[in-house]
Amino acid sequence: MMADTMLNRYMTMQELITLDDSTIYAIMSDRGSVSDLIMKDISKIHPYAITAPNESCNRWQTSYKDKCGKRHNIKAPTREELVAQLVILYGKQRNRKTTVHMLFEEWLEYKRSMTSSVNTVIRHREHYNRYILNTPMDKRMIYTITSLDMEVFCNRLITEHAMSHKEFGNLKTILNGMFDYARRKGELKTNIMNDVRITVRFRQIARKTGQTQTYTTTERNNLLAYLNDKYEATKDSAYLAVMVNFMLGLRVAELVSLKWTDLDGATLHITREQILNKETRTFEIVPHTKTYSDRYIIIPQQAVEIFNRVPKENEYIFTRKENVLTTRQVAYVLEKYAKTTDHKVKSSHKIRKTYASTLSIKGVPIDTIRQQLGHNNLSTTLTYIYDSLDAEETRTLINSAFD
């Protein structure tokens, strides 16, 4: 009776390996056959053929490779007992305790040792906690998960959380990294994310326009006038930093990290950035850009003139009370301006898009714009280019095209 109860209850390898060895053998022997579910689990991790008795050997046999890579031949009187040995070998000696959650923690520690960006590690944890932590998938043992299991899970997440393509892309980066790490360690034969297909619709993002993504000609002129007046009244270099970036198009983290030694005539060397350390909640200058590559950009004479207005009181160009200006302080300048004029805040990143769009309107080659912005791919640069003209300017430009 007890065997019957167990027979009905322990149908998968995942359930079987929670038992002691003798109980596993008893159940497998009592059943008289191996369930399809158990064989499916075994086939995912066992690369060798299971051979039936023949003239040279009257026992069931197969091979098994241990953690050191040494191959062993194992035999048993029945198929069920042989599979029971495999359940124990794979389940108890190798993968029994490796859940998705445990894999994530191990992979994250590996990532921490491979990157200098603390914030990247923190973002990975935030995404995992939001979408996977405390779900049934979080507790699954990794060798029991098929590509189909993960496909169902991912499609369900997209639907339940109304995820955009970009949001899912962030999560997929984590899952890909985790399961590829498990593959490279030898815990899985393949990265199960490779065969995952997304069939549901992502949350649609409203189409972006130049009116929302850039400063139009009028908006730019009004803001520049405001910045100039505020600098003259306060001598706060934060206002000049925002002003000059309309002519540089830098990431704001690069802008506040500029040193006087980076400036050479009409050329500017971009080689570092400022980050907010999410663990210490402090701003730090790191010796690399977002793309881990430096670049030289051409700067117009107007930008040179603005730099000349900044007092050379520090090795860094933009400072406040002898401290390096922070990205947050730059953002506050734009927030304060929006509040003063009763307009919606447009971020410093939209100044960068305004810069790219202005160069495009003036006929600067797209690859030059890419280099100025520090992009690796033209496809990224194209997403920065909008019509930043006022409506009447656009209409005039279109009409002039047919003159």
Side-chain angles (χ1 to χ4, degrees), residues 256-309:
V256 297
S257 304
L258 291 175
K259 293 183 178 182
W260 289 109
T261 52
D262 300 328
L263 185 60
D264 184 12
T267 303
L268 194 59
H269 189 198
I270 312 302
T271 185
R272 70 188 74 81
E273 69 174 354
Q274 184 183 88
I275 65 167
L276 173 61
N277 187 315
K278 291 188 176 182
E279 287 187 337
T280 63
R281 304 304 299 174
T282 58
F283 288 96
E284 304 170 358
I285 303 293
V286 292
H288 59 77
T289 65
K290 181 180 179 181
T291 56
Y292 286 82
S293 59
D294 67 334
R295 67 187 187 280
Y296 291 87
I297 69 168
I298 301 167
I299 61 175
Q301 182 58 34
Q302 286 178 290
V304 174
E305 293 171 1
I306 293 175
F307 281 126
N308 289 337
R309 296 172 65 183

Side-chain angles (χ1 to χ4, degrees), residues 251 291 352 369-371 373-377 380-381 384:
R251 301 178 180 95
T291 56
R352 186 164 154 83
I369 299 174
R370 179 191 65 78
Q371 294 175 43
L373 293 175
H375 290 157
N376 291 325
N377 303 305
T380 304
T381 305
Y384 279 60

Side-chain angles (χ1 to χ4, degrees), residues 95-160:
N95 290 329
R96 175 180 177 180
K97 295 182 179 180
T98 308
T99 63
V100 170
H101 187 98
M102 294 172 66
L103 175 62
F104 170 73
E105 294 294 344
E106 187 176 336
W107 171 77
L108 197 64
E109 191 59 35
Y110 161 76
K111 291 295 289 184
R112 189 188 296 274
S113 69
M114 298 295 288
T115 179
S116 59
S117 174
V118 174
N119 293 345
T120 297
V121 174
I122 292 175
R123 282 195 299 271
H124 286 332
R125 182 173 295 284
E126 289 172 346
H127 283 111
Y128 184 90
N129 289 352
R130 180 178 181 184
Y131 297 113
I132 303 177
L133 185 66
N134 295 327
T135 66
M137 183 60 71
D138 182 49
K139 301 173 179 63
R140 285 280 298 272
M141 284 175 278
I142 61 172
Y143 71 89
T144 69
I145 306 172
T146 65
S147 290
L148 186 59
D149 293 332
M150 190 54 64
E151 184 172 299
V152 171
F153 177 70
C154 288
N155 279 276
R156 182 180 295 126
L157 277 183
I158 293 169
T159 301
E160 291 179 352

Side-chain angles (χ1 to χ4, degrees), residues 24-38:
I24 291 175
Y25 276 113
I27 291 173
M28 297 296 288
S29 300
D30 181 73
R31 296 171 76 159
S33 64
V34 180
S35 78
D36 290 339
L37 287 174
I38 293 176

